[in-house]
Coordinates of all heavy atoms in Angstrom, one line a residue:
M1 N -15.9 -44.5 9.6 CA -16.1 -44.0 11.0 C -16.1 -45.2 12.0 O -16.5 -46.3 11.6 CB -17.4 -43.3 11.0 CG -17.7 -42.5 12.3 SD -19.2 -41.6 12.3 CE -18.8 -40.2 11.2
D2 N -15.7 -44.9 13.1 CA -15.6 -46.0 14.2 C -17.1 -46.4 14.5 O -18.0 -45.7 14.8 CB -15.0 -45.3 15.4 CG -14.7 -46.4 16.5 OD1 -15.3 -47.5 16.4 OD2 -13.8 -46.1 17.3
D3 N -17.2 -47.7 14.5 CA -18.5 -48.3 14.8 C -19.0 -48.0 16.3 O -20.2 -48.0 16.6 CB -18.6 -49.8 14.6 CG -18.6 -50.1 13.1 OD1 -18.9 -49.2 12.3 OD2 -18.2 -51.2 12.7
D4 N -18.0 -47.8 17.1 CA -18.3 -47.5 18.5 C -18.8 -46.1 18.8 O -19.3 -45.7 19.8 CB -17.1 -47.8 19.4 CG -16.8 -49.3 19.5 OD1 -17.7 -50.1 19.2 OD2 -15.7 -49.7 19.7
F5 N -18.5 -45.3 17.8 CA -18.9 -43.9 17.9 C -20.4 -43.7 17.9 O -21.1 -44.2 17.0 CB -18.3 -43.1 16.7 CG -18.6 -41.6 16.7 CD1 -17.9 -40.8 17.5 CD2 -19.7 -41.1 16.0 CE1 -18.1 -39.4 17.5 CE2 -20.0 -39.8 16.1 CZ -19.2 -38.9 16.8
S6 N -20.9 -43.1 19.0 CA -22.4 -42.9 19.0 C -22.7 -41.6 19.7 O -21.8 -41.0 20.4 CB -23.0 -44.1 19.8 OG -22.6 -44.0 21.2
F7 N -23.8 -41.1 19.5 CA -24.3 -39.9 20.0 C -25.8 -39.8 20.1 O -26.4 -40.6 19.4 CB -23.7 -38.7 19.3 CG -24.2 -38.6 17.8 CD1 -25.3 -37.9 17.5 CD2 -23.6 -39.4 16.8 CE1 -25.8 -37.8 16.2 CE2 -24.1 -39.3 15.5 CZ -25.2 -38.5 15.2
T8 N -26.3 -39.0 20.9 CA -27.7 -38.8 20.9 C -28.0 -37.3 20.5 O -27.3 -36.4 20.7 CB -28.3 -39.0 22.3 OG1 -27.7 -38.2 23.2 CG2 -28.1 -40.5 22.7
I9 N -29.2 -37.2 19.9 CA -29.6 -35.8 19.5 C -31.0 -35.6 20.1 O -31.7 -36.6 20.3 CB -29.6 -35.6 18.0 CG1 -30.5 -36.5 17.3 CG2 -28.2 -35.6 17.5 CD1 -30.9 -36.1 15.9
E10 N -31.3 -34.4 20.3 CA -32.7 -34.1 20.7 C -33.5 -33.9 19.4 O -33.2 -33.0 18.6 CB -32.7 -32.8 21.5 CG -32.0 -32.9 22.8 CD -32.9 -33.5 23.9 OE1 -34.1 -33.3 23.8 OE2 -32.4 -34.2 24.8
I11 N -34.5 -34.7 19.2 CA -35.4 -34.5 18.1 C -36.3 -33.3 18.4 O -37.0 -33.4 19.5 CB -36.2 -35.7 17.7 CG1 -35.2 -36.9 17.3 CG2 -37.2 -35.5 16.6 CD1 -35.9 -38.2 17.1
P12 N -36.3 -32.3 17.7 CA -37.2 -31.1 18.0 C -38.6 -31.4 18.0 O -39.1 -32.1 17.0 CB -36.8 -30.1 16.9 CG -36.2 -30.9 15.8 CD -35.6 -32.1 16.4
C13 N -39.3 -31.1 19.0 CA -40.8 -31.3 19.1 C -41.5 -29.9 19.3 O -40.9 -29.0 19.7 CB -41.2 -32.2 20.2 SG -40.7 -31.7 21.8
D14 N -42.7 -29.9 18.9 CA -43.5 -28.6 19.0 C -43.9 -28.4 20.5 O -43.7 -29.2 21.4 CB -44.6 -28.6 18.0 CG -45.7 -29.6 18.3 OD1 -45.7 -30.1 19.4 OD2 -46.5 -29.9 17.4
E15 N -44.7 -27.4 20.7 CA -45.1 -27.0 22.0 C -46.0 -28.0 22.7 O -46.1 -28.0 23.9 CB -45.7 -25.6 22.0 CG -46.9 -25.5 21.1 CD -47.4 -24.1 20.9 OE1 -46.6 -23.1 21.3 OE2 -48.4 -23.9 20.3
D16 N -46.6 -28.8 21.9 CA -47.5 -29.8 22.5 C -46.8 -31.1 22.7 O -47.4 -32.1 23.1 CB -48.7 -30.1 21.5 CG -49.6 -28.8 21.5 OD1 -49.8 -28.2 22.5 OD2 -50.1 -28.5 20.4
G17 N -45.5 -31.2 22.4 CA -44.7 -32.4 22.6 C -44.8 -33.4 21.5 O -44.4 -34.5 21.6
F18 N -45.3 -32.9 20.3 CA -45.3 -33.8 19.2 C -44.1 -33.6 18.3 O -43.5 -32.5 18.2 CB -46.5 -33.5 18.3 CG -47.8 -34.0 18.9 CD1 -48.6 -33.2 19.8 CD2 -48.2 -35.3 18.7 CE1 -49.7 -33.7 20.3 CE2 -49.4 -35.8 19.3 CZ -50.1 -35.0 20.1
V19 N -43.6 -34.7 17.7 CA -42.5 -34.7 16.8 C -43.0 -34.9 15.4 O -43.9 -35.7 15.1 CB -41.5 -35.8 17.1 CG1 -40.4 -35.9 16.1 CG2 -40.9 -35.6 18.5
L20 N -42.5 -34.1 14.5 CA -42.9 -34.2 13.1 C -42.2 -35.3 12.4 O -40.9 -35.4 12.4 CB -42.6 -32.9 12.4 CG -43.1 -32.8 10.9 CD1 -44.7 -32.9 10.9 CD2 -42.7 -31.5 10.3
M21 N -42.9 -36.3 11.9 CA -42.3 -37.4 11.2 C -42.7 -37.3 9.7 O -43.6 -36.7 9.3 CB -42.9 -38.7 11.7 CG -42.7 -38.9 13.2 SD -40.9 -39.3 13.6 CE -41.1 -39.7 15.3
Q22 N -41.9 -38.0 8.9 CA -42.2 -38.1 7.5 C -42.1 -39.5 7.0 O -41.1 -40.2 7.3 CB -41.2 -37.2 6.7 CG -41.6 -37.2 5.2 CD -40.7 -36.3 4.4 OE1 -39.6 -36.0 4.8 NE2 -41.2 -35.8 3.3
C23 N -43.1 -39.9 6.3 CA -43.2 -41.3 5.8 C -42.2 -41.4 4.6 O -42.3 -40.6 3.7 CB -44.6 -41.7 5.4 SG -44.7 -43.3 4.6
P24 N -41.3 -42.4 4.7 CA -40.3 -42.6 3.6 C -41.0 -43.2 2.4 O -40.4 -43.2 1.3 CB -39.2 -43.5 4.2 CG -39.9 -44.2 5.3 CD -41.0 -43.3 5.8
Q25 N -42.2 -43.8 2.6 CA -42.8 -44.4 1.4 C -43.6 -43.4 0.6 O -43.5 -43.5 -0.7 CB -43.8 -45.5 2.0 CG -43.2 -46.5 2.9 CD -42.1 -47.3 2.3 OE1 -42.1 -47.6 1.1 NE2 -41.2 -47.8 3.1
C26 N -44.4 -42.6 1.2 CA -45.2 -41.7 0.4 C -44.9 -40.2 0.7 O -45.4 -39.4 0.0 CB -46.7 -42.0 0.8 SG -47.2 -41.5 2.4
G27 N -44.0 -40.0 1.6 CA -43.6 -38.6 1.9 C -44.6 -37.8 2.7 O -44.4 -36.6 2.9
E28 N -45.6 -38.4 3.2 CA -46.6 -37.7 4.0 C -46.0 -37.3 5.4 O -45.3 -38.1 6.0 CB -47.8 -38.7 4.3 CG -48.9 -38.0 5.1 CD -49.7 -37.0 4.3 OE1 -49.6 -37.0 3.0 OE2 -50.5 -36.3 4.9
F29 N -46.3 -36.1 5.8 CA -45.9 -35.7 7.1 C -47.0 -36.0 8.1 O -48.2 -35.8 7.9 CB -45.6 -34.2 7.2 CG -44.3 -33.8 6.5 CD1 -44.4 -33.4 5.1 CD2 -43.1 -33.8 7.1 CE1 -43.2 -33.0 4.5 CE2 -41.9 -33.5 6.5 CZ -42.0 -33.1 5.2
F30 N -46.6 -36.4 9.3 CA -47.6 -36.6 10.4 C -46.9 -36.4 11.7 O -45.7 -36.4 11.8 CB -48.3 -38.0 10.3 CG -47.3 -39.2 10.4 CD1 -47.1 -39.8 11.6 CD2 -46.6 -39.6 9.3 CE1 -46.2 -40.9 11.7 CE2 -45.8 -40.7 9.3 CZ -45.6 -41.3 10.5
K31 N -47.7 -36.2 12.8 CA -47.1 -35.9 14.1 C -47.3 -37.1 15.0 O -48.3 -37.9 14.9 CB -47.8 -34.7 14.7 CG -47.3 -33.4 14.0 CD -47.9 -32.2 14.7 CE -47.3 -30.9 14.1 NZ -47.9 -29.7 14.7
L32 N -46.3 -37.3 15.9 CA -46.3 -38.4 16.8 C -45.7 -37.9 18.1 O -44.8 -37.1 18.1 CB -45.4 -39.5 16.2 CG -45.6 -40.9 16.5 CD1 -47.0 -41.4 16.0 CD2 -44.6 -41.8 15.8
R33 N -46.2 -38.5 19.2 CA -45.6 -38.2 20.5 C -44.4 -39.1 20.6 O -44.5 -40.3 20.4 CB -46.6 -38.4 21.6 CG -47.6 -37.3 21.8 CD -48.3 -37.6 23.1 NE -49.4 -36.7 23.3 CZ -49.3 -35.4 23.8 NH1 -48.1 -35.0 24.2 NH2 -50.3 -34.6 23.9
P34 N -43.2 -38.6 21.0 CA -42.0 -39.4 21.2 C -42.3 -40.6 22.2 O -41.8 -41.7 22.0 CB -41.0 -38.4 21.8 CG -41.5 -37.1 21.4 CD -43.0 -37.2 21.3
T35 N -43.1 -40.3 23.2 CA -43.5 -41.4 24.1 C -44.2 -42.5 23.4 O -44.0 -43.7 23.8 CB -44.3 -40.9 25.3 OG1 -45.4 -40.1 24.8 CG2 -43.4 -40.0 26.2
D36 N -45.0 -42.2 22.4 CA -45.7 -43.3 21.7 C -44.7 -44.1 20.8 O -44.8 -45.3 20.7 CB -46.8 -42.6 20.8 CG -47.9 -42.0 21.5 OD1 -48.1 -42.4 22.7 OD2 -48.6 -41.2 21.0
Y37 N -43.8 -43.3 20.2 CA -42.9 -43.9 19.3 C -41.9 -44.9 20.0 O -41.6 -45.9 19.5 CB -42.1 -42.8 18.6 CG -41.3 -43.2 17.4 CD1 -41.9 -43.9 16.4 CD2 -39.9 -42.9 17.4 CE1 -41.1 -44.2 15.3 CE2 -39.2 -43.3 16.3 CZ -39.8 -44.0 15.2 OH -39.0 -44.3 14.2
E38 N -41.6 -44.5 21.2 CA -40.6 -45.3 22.0 C -41.2 -46.3 22.9 O -40.5 -47.1 23.5 CB -39.7 -44.3 22.8 CG -38.8 -43.4 22.0 CD -38.3 -42.3 22.8 OE1 -38.5 -42.2 24.0 OE2 -37.6 -41.4 22.2
S39 N -42.5 -46.3 23.0 CA -43.2 -47.3 23.8 C -43.0 -48.7 23.4 O -43.1 -49.0 22.2 CB -44.7 -46.9 23.9 OG -45.4 -48.0 24.5
D40 N -42.9 -49.6 24.3 CA -42.7 -51.0 24.0 C -44.0 -51.6 23.5 O -44.0 -52.6 22.9 CB -42.3 -51.8 25.3 CG -40.8 -51.5 25.6 OD1 -40.1 -51.0 24.7 OD2 -40.4 -51.7 26.8
D41 N -45.1 -50.9 23.8 CA -46.4 -51.4 23.3 C -46.6 -51.2 21.8 O -47.4 -51.9 21.2 CB -47.5 -50.7 24.1 CG -47.5 -51.0 25.6 OD1 -47.0 -52.1 25.9 OD2 -48.0 -50.2 26.4
V42 N -45.9 -50.2 21.3 CA -46.0 -50.0 19.9 C -44.8 -50.7 19.2 O -43.7 -50.2 19.2 CB -45.9 -48.4 19.6 CG1 -46.1 -48.2 18.1 CG2 -47.0 -47.7 20.4
L43 N -45.2 -51.8 18.6 CA -44.1 -52.6 17.9 C -43.7 -51.9 16.6 O -42.6 -51.9 16.2 CB -44.6 -54.0 17.6 CG -44.9 -54.8 18.9 CD1 -45.4 -56.2 18.5 CD2 -43.6 -54.9 19.7
E44 N -44.7 -51.3 15.9 CA -44.3 -50.6 14.7 C -45.3 -49.5 14.5 O -46.5 -49.6 14.9 CB -44.3 -51.6 13.5 CG -45.6 -52.3 13.3 CD -45.5 -53.3 12.1 OE1 -44.3 -53.6 11.7 OE2 -46.5 -53.8 11.6
V45 N -44.9 -48.5 13.9 CA -45.7 -47.3 13.6 C -46.0 -47.3 12.1 O -45.2 -47.4 11.3 CB -45.0 -46.0 13.9 CG1 -45.8 -44.8 13.6 CG2 -44.6 -46.0 15.4
S46 N -47.3 -47.3 11.8 CA -47.7 -47.2 10.4 C -48.1 -45.8 10.0 O -48.7 -45.1 10.8 CB -49.0 -48.1 10.2 OG -48.6 -49.5 10.5
C47 N -47.8 -45.5 8.8 CA -48.1 -44.2 8.3 C -49.6 -44.1 8.2 O -50.3 -45.0 7.7 CB -47.4 -44.1 6.9 SG -48.0 -42.6 5.9
P48 N -50.2 -43.0 8.7 CA -51.6 -42.8 8.6 C -52.1 -42.5 7.2 O -53.3 -42.7 6.9 CB -51.9 -41.5 9.5 CG -50.6 -40.8 9.5 CD -49.5 -41.9 9.4
A49 N -51.2 -42.2 6.3 CA -51.7 -41.9 4.9 C -51.7 -43.2 4.0 O -52.7 -43.5 3.4 CB -50.7 -40.8 4.3
C50 N -50.6 -43.9 4.0 CA -50.5 -45.1 3.2 C -50.6 -46.4 3.9 O -50.7 -47.4 3.3 CB -49.2 -45.0 2.3 SG -47.7 -45.2 3.3
G51 N -50.4 -46.3 5.3 CA -50.6 -47.5 6.1 C -49.4 -48.4 6.1 O -49.5 -49.5 6.7
I52 N -48.3 -48.0 5.5 CA -47.1 -48.9 5.4 C -46.3 -48.6 6.7 O -46.0 -47.4 7.0 CB -46.3 -48.6 4.2 CG1 -47.2 -49.0 2.9 CG2 -45.0 -49.4 4.2 CD1 -46.5 -48.7 1.6
A53 N -45.8 -49.6 7.4 CA -45.0 -49.4 8.5 C -43.5 -49.3 8.1 O -43.1 -50.2 7.3 CB -45.2 -50.6 9.5
S54 N -42.8 -48.4 8.6 CA -41.4 -48.2 8.3 C -40.6 -48.1 9.6 O -41.2 -47.7 10.6 CB -41.2 -47.0 7.4 OG -41.9 -47.1 6.2
E55 N -39.3 -48.3 9.5 CA -38.5 -48.2 10.7 C -38.1 -46.8 11.0 O -37.8 -46.4 12.1 CB -37.3 -49.1 10.5 CG -37.6 -50.6 10.6 CD -36.3 -51.4 10.5 OE1 -35.2 -50.8 10.5 OE2 -36.4 -52.6 10.3
N56 N -38.0 -46.0 10.0 CA -37.4 -44.7 10.2 C -38.3 -43.6 9.6 O -38.6 -43.6 8.4 CB -36.0 -44.7 9.5 CG -35.3 -43.4 9.9 OD1 -35.8 -42.4 10.1 ND2 -34.0 -43.5 9.9
Y57 N -38.8 -42.7 10.4 CA -39.7 -41.6 10.0 C -39.0 -40.3 10.1 O -39.7 -39.3 10.1 CB -41.0 -41.7 10.7 CG -41.9 -42.8 10.4 CD1 -42.0 -43.9 11.2 CD2 -42.6 -42.8 9.2 CE1 -42.8 -45.0 10.9 CE2 -43.4 -43.8 8.8 CZ -43.5 -44.9 9.7 OH -44.3 -46.0 9.3
L58 N -37.7 -40.3 10.4 CA -37.1 -39.0 10.6 C -37.2 -38.1 9.4 O -37.0 -38.6 8.2 CB -35.6 -39.2 11.0 CG -35.4 -39.9 12.3 CD1 -33.9 -40.0 12.6 CD2 -36.1 -39.2 13.5
T59 N -37.4 -36.8 9.6 CA -37.5 -35.9 8.5 C -36.1 -35.5 8.1 O -35.1 -35.7 8.8 CB -38.3 -34.6 8.9 OG1 -37.6 -34.0 9.9 CG2 -39.7 -35.0 9.3
E60 N -35.9 -34.9 6.9 CA -34.6 -34.5 6.5 C -34.0 -33.5 7.4 O -32.8 -33.5 7.6 CB -34.7 -34.0 5.0 CG -34.9 -35.0 4.0 CD -35.0 -34.5 2.6 OE1 -34.7 -33.3 2.4 OE2 -35.4 -35.2 1.7
D61 N -34.8 -32.7 8.0 CA -34.3 -31.7 8.9 C -33.6 -32.3 10.1 O -32.6 -31.9 10.5 CB -35.5 -30.8 9.4 CG -35.9 -29.8 8.4 OD1 -35.2 -29.6 7.4 OD2 -37.0 -29.1 8.6
V62 N -34.2 -33.4 10.6 CA -33.7 -34.1 11.8 C -32.4 -34.8 11.4 O -31.4 -34.7 12.1 CB -34.7 -35.1 12.4 CG1 -34.0 -35.9 13.5 CG2 -35.9 -34.3 12.9
I63 N -32.4 -35.4 10.2 CA -31.2 -36.0 9.7 C -30.1 -35.0 9.6 O -28.9 -35.3 9.9 CB -31.5 -36.8 8.4 CG1 -32.4 -37.9 8.7 CG2 -30.2 -37.3 7.8 CD1 -33.0 -38.6 7.5
E64 N -30.4 -33.9 9.0 CA -29.4 -32.8 8.9 C -28.8 -32.4 10.2 O -27.6 -32.2 10.4 CB -30.0 -31.6 8.2 CG -29.7 -31.5 6.7 CD -30.4 -30.3 6.0 OE1 -30.4 -29.3 6.6 OE2 -30.9 -30.5 4.9
L65 N -29.7 -32.2 11.2 CA -29.3 -31.9 12.5 C -28.4 -32.9 13.1 O -27.4 -32.6 13.7 CB -30.6 -31.7 13.4 CG -30.3 -31.4 14.9 CD1 -29.7 -30.0 15.0 CD2 -31.6 -31.5 15.7
A66 N -28.7 -34.2 12.9 CA -27.9 -35.3 13.4 C -26.5 -35.2 12.7 O -25.5 -35.4 13.4 CB -28.5 -36.6 13.1
M67 N -26.4 -34.9 11.5 CA -25.1 -34.8 10.8 C -24.3 -33.7 11.4 O -23.1 -33.8 11.6 CB -25.4 -34.5 9.3 CG -26.1 -35.6 8.6 SD -25.2 -37.2 8.7 CE -24.5 -37.2 7.0
V68 N -24.9 -32.5 11.6 CA -24.2 -31.4 12.2 C -23.7 -31.8 13.6 O -22.5 -31.5 13.9 CB -25.2 -30.1 12.3 CG1 -24.5 -29.1 13.1 CG2 -25.5 -29.6 10.9
V69 N -24.5 -32.4 14.4 CA -24.1 -32.8 15.7 C -22.9 -33.8 15.6 O -21.9 -33.7 16.4 CB -25.3 -33.4 16.5 CG1 -24.8 -34.0 17.8 CG2 -26.4 -32.4 16.8
A70 N -23.0 -34.7 14.7 CA -22.0 -35.7 14.5 C -20.7 -35.0 14.1 O -19.6 -35.4 14.7 CB -22.4 -36.7 13.5
K71 N -20.7 -34.1 13.2 CA -19.5 -33.4 12.8 C -18.9 -32.6 13.9 O -17.7 -32.7 14.1 CB -19.9 -32.4 11.7 CG -19.9 -33.0 10.3 CD -20.2 -32.0 9.2 CE -20.5 -32.6 7.9 NZ -21.0 -31.6 6.9
N72 N -19.7 -32.0 14.7 CA -19.2 -31.2 15.9 C -18.5 -32.2 16.8 O -17.5 -31.8 17.4 CB -20.3 -30.5 16.6 CG -20.8 -29.2 15.7 OD1 -20.1 -28.8 14.8 ND2 -21.9 -28.7 16.0
R73 N -19.1 -33.3 17.1 CA -18.5 -34.3 18.0 C -17.2 -34.8 17.5 O -16.2 -34.9 18.3 CB -19.5 -35.5 18.2 CG -20.7 -35.1 19.0 CD -20.4 -34.7 20.4 NE -21.6 -34.2 21.1 CZ -22.5 -34.9 21.7 NH1 -22.3 -36.2 21.8 NH2 -23.5 -34.4 22.3
V74 N -17.1 -35.0 16.2 CA -15.8 -35.5 15.6 C -14.8 -34.4 15.8 O -13.6 -34.6 16.1 CB -16.0 -35.8 14.1 CG1 -14.7 -36.1 13.5 CG2 -16.9 -37.1 14.0
F75 N -15.2 -33.1 15.5 CA -14.3 -32.0 15.6 C -13.7 -31.9 17.0 O -12.6 -31.6 17.3 CB -15.0 -30.7 15.2 CG -14.1 -29.5 15.2 CD1 -13.2 -29.4 14.1 CD2 -14.2 -28.5 16.1 CE1 -12.3 -28.3 14.1 CE2 -13.4 -27.4 16.1 CZ -12.4 -27.3 15.1
E76 N -14.6 -32.0 18.0 CA -14.2 -31.9 19.4 C -13.3 -33.0 19.8 O -12.4 -32.8 20.7 CB -15.5 -31.9 20.3 CG -16.3 -30.6 20.3 CD -17.6 -30.7 21.0 OE1 -17.9 -31.8 21.6 OE2 -18.4 -29.8 20.9
A77 N -13.5 -34.2 19.3 CA -12.6 -35.3 19.6 C -11.3 -35.1 19.0 O -10.3 -35.5 19.5 CB -13.3 -36.6 19.1
Ligands
ZN101 ZN1 -47.0 -43.1 3.9

């Protein structure tokens, strides 16, 4: 795939504005506000269950959604 190919997706959040994250280390689910996650003040987010900081907390649902969006974009192009 072209390295210049990029897209953005809306990560689904609940009615309170929280996004469901999943820790890749222990599999624990927890909620986070997107504004917290993207804030420059927050250098890294640690899992509340195991305390390990990871770069990627996207759940499989979100990754699946991203794949679908990506496929559709490729198809449109
Ligand atoms: Zn964890």
Side-chain angles (χ1 to χ4, degrees):
M1 188 178 287
D2 191 338
D3 286 341
D4 292 334
F5 181 82
S6 66
F7 63 95
T8 57
I9 60 162
E10 294 276 330
I11 298 176
C13 58
D14 66 16
E15 57 191 8
D16 294 323
F18 285 91
V19 173
L20 186 65
M21 302 288 191
Q22 184 177 24
C23 174
Q25 307 295 333
C26 69
E28 180 76 15
F29 287 96
F30 59 97
K31 287 182 174 179
L32 207 63
R33 282 187 187 278
T35 49
D36 292 339
Y37 192 55
E38 292 166 4
S39 170
D40 289 340
D41 295 333
V42 181
L43 294 180
E44 57 183 14
V45 178
S46 298
C47 169
C50 67
I52 298 174
S54 301
E55 290 183 5
N56 192 331
Y57 288 103
L58 296 182
T59 62
E60 287 181 9
D61 283 351
V62 173
I63 293 169
E64 261 178 40
L65 177 66
M67 298 298 259
V68 170
V69 172
K71 276 183 188 170
N72 286 342
R73 290 295 170 86
V74 170
F75 185 73
E76 287 170 5

